[in-house]
Amino acid sequence: MSLQLEGKHILLGLSGGIACYKAAELVRLLVKDGATVQVVMSEAATQFITPVTMQALSNRPVRTSQWDAAEFNNMAHINMSREADAMLIAPASADLIAKLAQGRADDLLSLTALARPIERCPLLVAPAMNREMWAHPATQRNLRQIAADGAHVLNVGTGDQACGETGDGRMLEAAEIRDELIAFFQPKRLAGRRVLITAGPTFEPIDPVRGLTNRSSGKMGFAVARAAAEAGAEVTLVAGPVHLPTPRGVRRIDVQTAQQMFDAVLPRAGQQDVFIATAAVADWRPAKLADHKIKKQPGQAAPAGFELTENPDILAAVGKLAASRPFCVGFAAESQDLAKFARDKLERKRADLIVGNIGAATFGQDDNTLLLVDKAGERELPRNDKLSLARELVSEIAARMTPTTTP
Ligand code: CTP
C-alpha cells in the first residue's frame, strides 16, 4: 500500500504520562508511513521515556528546552512550528491541556503550541490520564475550550489504567492515532453526509454445518467505508461474514444472509445521502433450511429435493425507493464484457453509478482496477491499492451528488 503520510512533516509533542511508552511506537509508525517527525518533549515526558529513544526512532534531535543554544537563532518554537504540516500532542496530559486552554507558554512544548500559525499548522491532541482526572469538570471544560480554539481532540480509550483503575482516559493505541492523523489530512468531501455501505459475502445456510457463500473478502467495501469516514461522512457498514477490523468511526452491523442484509439496509436507506452496495450478495438461498446435518445416503448421488429460491435484490430495492432515495452506487464483479454488464446493471437496478471490476482478479487481493459507468459515460480508475481507489471513488461520488442537498 502507498505511504499514507509521505511528504508530511509532523511535530510530535509528548507531555508527561505513562502513555509516553506508546509514543515510541507512534513515531515508528509515522516514520514508516513516510512522515518526517520532529519530537518535542516536556520535562515531565522525559521522566517517562528518554529523548534518546525518541531521537533514535525519529532520526532527528529531540527538542526539550526553549533555552537550547544549539538552535541557530535560539527560537526552536518558531522554527519547528513553521515547517510542520500538523502538531500532534500524544500523550496530552491533563496539565498540558489546562495550559493549552489558558494559552500558557512556560516550556518549549506549550510555547510551540501557542506560537504555531493556527491556519497552517493544525493541532491534534490525544489525551491520556486517569479516569477521575478525565471526568473532572475542569478537564472537560479545558477540552471544550481547546476544541473551541480549533484543536482536534481525539477520543480516549476505555479499559485498564496504569493506576489499577478501569475507565475512560487511556490514550488511543499508536496505530489508532496514526489512522486518525491520516484521516485528518483527507479532504472532507462528504462532510455532513450519511453513507450506508454493504460489504463482504453473504452466507446462506443449507443445514447447521454447511452453507452457500462466495470468495468476497470484504476488503473493497471496508476500504470504501474507511474512505467515506475519512471524508467526513457518518458511515454505517452492513457486513457479511468477514475477518476484517471495523474502520475507525464507522458503525458496523454484522449479518449472515442476504435477507438479513436486506432487513438491515431497507429501513435505514431512506435516511441516507448515499448507498454503496459493494457486497457480493448470494443470488439464491436453499429453499429449506434443514434442522439437522444432511446425511449422505448410500447409493444417492446428491441430496433429494435440494432446491434454491431467489434472494431479494437489495440495490434494486433501494434504487426503487420513491421518497428520499439516496444516491445509489452498485458494484459489478464480472468475468467478461465489463462495460456492457455494468451498463446493464445501471439500468436494471436504477443505480446512479456502477463500479465494475473483473471479479476473479480482485477477490481477496489488496489492489484492483475499477471502471466507473454512469449515464454520462465511462471512466477507468487505474490499478491501485483498494484504499487509494476507495478514496478516488468517494471523491467521484461527492462530485456527482446534487449540490442542492449539500448541508
Ligand atoms: N446486489 C444486491 N442484492 C442482491 C444482488 C446484488 O444488492 N441480491 C448488488 C451488489 O451488491 C452489487 C450489484 O447489486 O452492487 C451487482 O451485483 P451482482 O451480483 O454483480 O449482480 P446480479 O444482480 O447478481 O447480476 P448477475 O447475476 O447478472 O451478474
Side-chain angles (χ1 to χ4, degrees):
M1 199 156 76
S2 54
L3 297 179
Q4 301 292 309
L5 292 168
E6 187 142 42
K8 294 289 186 220
H9 188 115
I10 308 301
L11 183 50
L12 176 64
L14 280 68
S15 56
I18 297 288
C20 278
Y21 80 90
K22 294 184 184 174
E25 174 70 358
L26 176 61
V27 74
R28 206 182 66 84
L29 293 178
L30 299 183
V31 168
K32 206 168 145 202
D33 246 322
T36 303
V37 183
Q38 173 62 55
V39 177
V40 53
M41 297 171 72
S42 72
E43 210 273 310
T46 64
Q47 298 290 323
F48 290 92
I49 188 166
T50 69
V52 175
T53 302
M54 299 306 287
Q55 175 168 351
L57 293 170
S58 63
N59 262 312
R60 290 168 76 99
V62 170
R63 303 288 178 216
T64 55
S65 165
Q66 67 271 46
W67 313 122
D68 184 354
E71 197 68 22
F72 67 94
N73 55 359
N74 221 312
M75 292 189 204
H77 61 296
I78 302 291
N79 305 338
M80 288 191 297
S81 61
R82 296 305 181 270
E83 57 185 3
D85 293 301
M87 181 173 190
L88 165 64
I89 304 184
S93 64
D95 180 57
L96 190 271
I97 291 167
K99 275 189 184 177
L100 293 176
Q102 289 183 11
R104 285 171 56 198
D106 60 359
D107 70 349
L108 182 60
L109 177 56
S110 53
L111 176 61
T112 309
L114 193 69
R116 100 206 121 81
I118 294 182
E119 299 300 329
R120 257 196 305 121
C121 180
L123 175 65
L124 290 88
V125 170
M129 66 199 73
N130 161 270
R131 67 189 175 108
E132 299 292 0
M133 294 167 81
W134 172 255
H136 197 287
T139 302
Q140 291 302 317
R141 186 172 63 237
N142 291 334
L143 285 164
R144 281 194 299 277
Q145 183 60 57
I146 65 168
D149 291 345
H152 182 75
V153 180
L154 305 185
N155 287 338
V156 287
T158 298
D160 294 342
Q161 302 201 314
C163 50
E165 297 179 1
T166 304
D168 291 344
R170 282 166 58 117
M171 188 169 84
L172 294 181
E173 298 306 318
E176 294 175 314
I177 297 175
R178 182 238 2 234
D179 288 351
E180 290 278 359
L181 187 63
I182 292 169
F184 181 80
F185 285 120
Q186 302 307 314
K188 304 297 168 214
R189 294 193 171 101
L190 290 178
R193 305 282 198 177
R194 306 184 77 187
V195 178
L196 180 64
I197 299 167
T198 64
T202 60
F203 181 88
E204 312 294 333
I206 295 171
D207 66 17
V209 296
R210 302 184 184 92
L212 297 176
T213 187
N214 59 65
R215 289 171 50 222
S216 165
S217 64
K219 283 182 184 170
M220 191 66 216
F222 275 59
V224 172
R226 173 174 171 177
E230 286 177 344
E234 189 188 311
V235 181
T236 305
L237 175 63
V238 180
V242 291
H243 300 282
L244 293 172
T246 311
R248 284 192 65 68
V250 168
R251 173 160 175 251
R252 172 170 177 175
I253 301 168
D254 283 317
V255 298
Q256 294 276 320
T257 66
Q259 187 62 51
Q260 289 167 355
M261 194 173 267
F262 182 91
D263 293 342
V265 166
L266 262 290
R268 292 179 171 84
Q271 295 111 54
Q272 306 292 321
D273 299 296
V274 187
F275 174 58
I276 310 175
T278 75
V281 185
D283 290 323
W284 300 281
R285 64 175 181 275
K288 269 198 314 239
L289 169 62
D291 292 337
H292 296 287
K293 186 180 170 196
I294 301 170
K295 305 297 283 182
K296 198 165 54 180
Q297 302 299 334
Q300 192 184 49
F306 186 75
E307 280 175 27
L308 295 172
T309 182
E310 199 174 344
N311 274 325
D313 191 312
I314 305 166
L315 177 58
V318 176
K320 264 193 263 173
L321 285 179
S324 50
R325 174 185 174 280
F327 184 90
C328 289
V329 183
F331 270 65
E334 307 292 345
S335 60
Q336 57 174 343
D337 289 339
L338 189 53
K340 178 173 160 289
F341 286 128
R343 190 155 295 287
D344 168 58
K345 278 176 191 162
L346 185 76
E347 278 155 34
R348 192 157 43 86
K349 307 204 181 208
R350 298 195 201 172
D352 300 288
L353 177 68
I354 291 284
V355 184
N357 57 67
I358 295 294
T362 167
F363 278 8
Q365 301 296 310
D366 288 323
D367 57 4
N368 204 350
T369 308
L370 301 179
L371 181 70
L372 306 188
V373 178
D374 67 3
K375 282 205 186 83
E378 283 160 29
R379 166 140 200 243
E380 189 179 304
L381 302 184
R383 178 157 293 278
N384 211 335
D385 63 85
K386 286 184 176 175
L387 181 58
S388 302
L389 283 173
R391 288 188 184 134
E392 285 180 62
L393 176 60
V394 158
S395 105
E396 294 278 346
I397 292 171
R400 283 169 172 78
M401 291 183 65
T402 42
T404 48
T405 54
T406 303

